[in-house]
Amino acid sequence: MSKRRLKFWGWGYEDQTLSEIQARQIAERISALTGLSPEGYVPPPKLSEIELSTPRLTPPCALESICSTSAYDRAAHTYGKSYPDYIRAYERDFSTAPDIVAFPETENQIIQLLDWADGAGAAVIPFGCGSTVVGGIEPVVGGGFRGALTIDMRRMAKVLEIDPTARAARIQAGALGPDLERQLKPSGLTLRHFPQSFEFSTLGGWIATRSGGHFATLYNHIDDLVESLRMIAPAGTVESRRLPGSGAGPSPDRLMIGSEGSLGIITEAWMRLHQKPTFRASSAARFTSFETATKAVRAIAQAGLWPSNCRLVDAEETKLAGAGDGSFHMVVLGFESSDHPVDAWMDRALECVRDLGGEFDTAGERDTTADAWRKAFITAPFKREGLISCGLMHDTFETSITWERLADFHVKVKTATEEVIQRTTGKPGHVSCRFTHAYTDGCAPYFTLHAQPTPGQEVCQWTEIKTAASDMLMREGGTITHHHAVGRDHMPWYSGQQPALIGDALAAVKDRLDPKGMLNPGVIVPLR
Ligand SMILES: Cc1cc2nc3c(=O)[nH]c(=O)nc-3n(C[C@H](O)[C@H](O)[C@H](O)COP(=O)(O)OP(=O)(O)OC[C@H]3O[C@@H](n4cnc5c(N)ncnc54)[C@H](O)[C@@H]3O)c2cc1C
């Protein structure tokens, strides 16, 4: 593990904290573009300012060496990275910190930890790197437990085996994105699953949350890359069979993928790999009409070209990213292959663009606009902290919808979100949209909102905005999440979206795998 310490309250390393001047510059730029006018500045918390309650649990001697009750470890495992997580951290409120954080190095230690937690009446929170934006790891576990134990998987981070023939690797769940790719590099193979949180999230977290990577089509969710996996539950160990495909009844993998720490702790998985791409092409097309840009994305998604990137970014978001002046919507396109040149695929995609009246740069200039957007995308999580310090609300929510409902859906969700921001905060907000993934039958719209909450009312106002936006997603037939997962924040809408009998069946599965309901209580299966 790196010697640099991660922030206990936010994104990235401690030495990547923005200064007040940097935060103010970011907030000024965004306020000039959105019309919001932030006031004041709240510095990020210091560990010395945090008061934690006395741990209610004591680890047994045999597990003491892998357990911590240090203030840093408890604080760093309290919150994920959602807007309300940041606000409570900035309020120096870490009242839900876990009592103990364990760092197992072997499956046997996980089994011992679960046995001990069972006897001690503790809830157990599986933890990857805490990049959840939906309250997936906060130990809010209900009154039935004597305390909370968080199990951090990052010491189980090895690539254990590589099968070059089938192009697959057996990888431990705690591997962070960059370390996982570093270990695969000598083989010339790559997982190529690059969520925006790649640097600070783990393989186990991706599988547990069904994360969405950079591939805009074809292999968009981690689901498509999992060949088999292994999970330890309080009732025993489950391991699925390594197969390229199988028609043998409901898939055990599909039950474990997306279980968000509620059914067991994923310890390792065989993952499908790719040869590193050597042929690449990228471009950015401009459209004056959002609707026409949508048609272009649909045409490309339905043409069987399978671009690795095919993202529509609306004019407002293009401008916020510094990739445009607000007069055009942008479609970022990319193709890659390890086997053949991809120019013909790009040319065909650009024909679709041209047929619909879109414009694009000539070959030499192709990359500039797309590059500006890509850079803004990577630095966005850091900039967000500057905005929050300066009193601005910045949040994102995402969904998916079939093409024929998209136009109406997009307008209704955007309007409902703008209206609730105005009603709740008393000031106009700013809502923009991009499509993160495209399918033959629809796409995944991803909304970004900026607002100016009343100081001291941030969490309350955020809850109202989140509720109204989520209600509208549900009412208009979308999903509560395309890839950010369910966590605690989305449970009310997830329970409504899921067929009731399936919810009952999942609760029965949890009863069998986790009879005391101690794993991540309240996530996926409602708290009893
Ligand atoms: C800036 C930013 C950008 C993001 N971009 C994306 C994106 O592009 N695509 C995307 O899909 N998501 C994205 N996310 C959300 C988040 O990164 C994903 O949900 C990610 O998969 C979580 O991984 P993690 O290792 O940090 O897990 P954690 O946040 O630690 O945990 C997430 C959930 O998984 C469970 N869990 C973790 N590890 C295990 C395990 N080994 N076994 C069982 N359960 C486990 C936890 O209990 C929890 O319920 C983003 C988040 C941020 C803050």
Side-chain angles (χ1 to χ4, degrees), residues 17 23 36 42 60 144 155 190 212 224 245 358 375 419 448 464 525 528:
T17 304
L36 299 168
V42 181
R155 284 194 193 160
T190 162
D224 305 314
K375 277 184 199 133
E419 280 173 4
T448 298
E464 274 187 53
V525 174
R528 268 182 251 146

Side-chain angles (χ1 to χ4, degrees), residues 44-358:
K46 296 193 179 93
L47 206 53
S48 56
E49 299 166 337
I50 308 297
E51 258 183 56
L52 294 172
S53 56
T54 311
R56 294 161 293 180
L57 305 165
T58 315
C61 296
L63 296 169
E64 222 168 27
S65 64
I66 55 158
C67 288
S68 167
T69 53
S70 78
Y72 171 81
D73 283 327
R74 291 179 66 205
H77 291 81
T78 307
Y79 293 128
K81 306 291 178 291
S82 70
Y83 175 74
D85 290 341
Y86 272 103
I87 294 301
R88 288 171 304 153
Y90 275 48
E91 286 170 353
R92 283 66 176 152
D93 171 6
F94 284 75
S95 49
T96 52
D99 297 274
I100 302 177
V101 182
F103 299 90
E105 287 165 15
T106 63
E107 285 193 346
N108 194 32
Q109 288 175 340
I110 294 177
I111 293 169
Q112 288 179 49
L113 284 164
L114 291 180
D115 280 351
W116 171 76
D118 187 357
V124 175
I125 313 285
F127 186 100
C129 195
S131 68
T132 171
V133 283
V134 292
I137 56 89
E138 186 178 351
V140 178
V141 296
F145 298 95
R146 291 185 44 224
L149 162 72
T150 292
I151 300 189
D152 183 320
M153 293 297 291
R154 279 175 291 174
R155 284 194 193 160
M156 293 178 68
K158 289 197 187 75
V159 172
L160 299 169
E161 234 176 301
I162 297 179
D163 172 348
T165 311
R167 283 195 190 158
R170 183 158 74 94
I171 309 173
Q172 288 185 307
L176 290 163
D179 189 35
L180 182 161
E181 287 295 341
R182 185 190 52 76
Q183 293 182 65
L184 290 176
K185 199 171 179 190
S187 69
L189 298 169
T190 162
L191 182 61
R192 286 195 82 60
H193 183 72
F194 300 131
Q196 190 188 18
S197 53
F198 172 74
E199 204 178 347
F200 303 111
S201 56
T202 61
L203 176 68
W206 300 340
I207 296 173
T209 60
R210 304 185 64 187
S211 70
H214 83 297
F215 280 114
T217 64
L218 211 57
Y219 312 108
N220 33 34
H221 277 102
I222 193 80
D223 312 22
D224 305 314
L225 304 175
V226 177
E227 203 176 54
S228 71
L229 58 87
R230 202 171 147 82
M231 184 179 87
I232 296 179
T237 299
V238 187
E239 183 167 4
S240 61
R241 190 173 282 215
R242 235 195 112 194
L243 291 166
S246 167
S251 159
D253 288 338
R254 293 279 164 170
L255 189 65
M256 295 185 275
I257 298 171
S259 57
E260 299 192 26
S262 68
L263 300 181
I265 299 187
I266 297 161
T267 55
E268 59 178 61
W270 271 98
M271 301 299 297
R272 300 189 175 106
L273 305 177
H274 306 266
Q275 197 80 43
K276 270 209 180 305
T278 42
F279 300 95
R280 289 194 179 89
S282 71
S283 187
R286 296 179 293 275
F287 289 85
T288 47
S289 147
F290 186 75
E291 206 186 330
T292 318
T294 295
K295 284 186 185 155
V297 172
R298 173 158 63 90
I300 293 165
Q302 292 178 342
L305 299 167
W306 310 124
S308 51
N309 200 354
C310 183
R311 286 179 167 78
L312 166 54
V313 188
D314 77 6
E316 283 157 317
E317 197 152 321
T318 303
K319 190 174 168 190
L320 283 180
D325 58 6
S327 65
F328 61 87
H329 311 277
M330 177 172 66
V331 176
V332 185
L333 285 170
F335 288 88
E336 57 181 47
S337 168
S338 61
D339 181 72
H340 47 263
V342 288
D343 297 332
W345 278 258
M346 177 59 89
D347 289 346
R348 174 65 195 121
L350 291 175
E351 255 174 34
C352 296
V353 166
R354 201 181 300 113
D355 288 349
L356 285 154

